[in-house]
Amino acid sequence: MMDLDDTDRAILRTLQKDGSLNAAAVAKRVGLSQPACWRRIRKLEDSGVITGRSIRLNQEALGFGVTVFLGIKLATRGRVSVEDFERAVTAIPEVQVVQHVLGLYDYRLKVVARDIADFERVLRRRIMTLPGAGAVDSNVLLSEETSPLLL
């Protein structure tokens, strides 16, 4: 674990808000020179604190109006390997996130679909036919609020 000072935390907060900023823009916002800021960002990347940058897409603008979270309990642990299930589920394009979890379910999935009818098709034809898929519980996303990691 890297020891972070206030300037490192300010850089991280800035990049969490807008990961597309270059070192010069971040430097201006946190009160550093561009070279000093670039070195700190590089150090944060090298230490594994920053693991990458990405863009967020507007799912609705792309035609995906429904997000559903699924809890899946594997039916038979002995007959189908976890690796077979994971390989099959990650091949489904509508499945955005696969989480192997402890608790009531073995897996939590985040699934996007164009509408409820499209989700039903994905559920019946792809998810329910996965090797080892047993009980499935679904929760339709109504709204979502996100917040940055507290630093």
Side-chain angles (χ1 to χ4, degrees):
M1 185 171 133
M2 182 178 166
D3 287 329
L4 303 176
D5 64 16
D6 290 341
T7 303
D8 291 329
R9 286 184 180 84
I11 290 169
L12 292 171
R13 281 192 300 270
T14 301
L15 288 173
Q16 279 188 109
K17 289 178 186 171
D18 186 352
S20 69
L21 295 174
N22 62 26
V26 175
K28 186 175 182 178
R29 293 180 188 200
V30 300
L32 285 177
S33 69
Q34 187 274 335
C37 187
W38 181 86
R39 283 191 299 274
R40 282 180 178 258
I41 291 171
R42 182 71 179 181
K43 185 173 98 176
L44 291 164
E45 291 170 339
D46 290 345
S47 69
V49 172
I50 296 175
T51 58
R53 299 186 196 192
S54 64
I55 60 170
R56 284 181 282 174
L57 302 177
N58 181 326
Q59 291 177 191
E60 288 186 29
L62 292 168
F64 295 97
V66 173
T67 299
V68 181
F69 294 95
L70 298 179
I72 297 184
K73 184 87 173 153
L74 295 182
T76 53
R77 290 183 189 268
R79 293 190 359 215
V80 175
S81 74
V82 169
E83 292 81 16
D84 290 340
F85 176 83
E86 289 176 358
R87 191 172 15 267
V89 76
T90 56
I92 301 171
E94 293 87 353
V95 175
Q96 299 295 292
V97 177
V98 177
Q99 299 170 329
H100 192 195
V101 297
L102 291 174
L104 184 59
Y105 298 101
D106 298 308
Y107 285 89
R108 297 279 301 164
L109 310 180
K110 179 180 178 184
V111 179
V112 296
R114 300 202 178 282
D115 52 34
I116 291 295
D118 185 41
F119 168 71
E120 182 181 10
R121 178 191 58 77
V122 171
L123 181 65
R124 287 181 181 221
R125 294 185 186 166
R126 295 187 174 168
I127 294 171
M128 295 303 295
T129 62
L130 289 169
V136 176
D137 182 48
S138 61
N139 294 282
V140 176
L141 178 68
L142 300 177
S143 65
E144 180 176 49
E145 302 299 325
T146 60
S147 59
L149 184 63
L150 296 175
L151 298 173

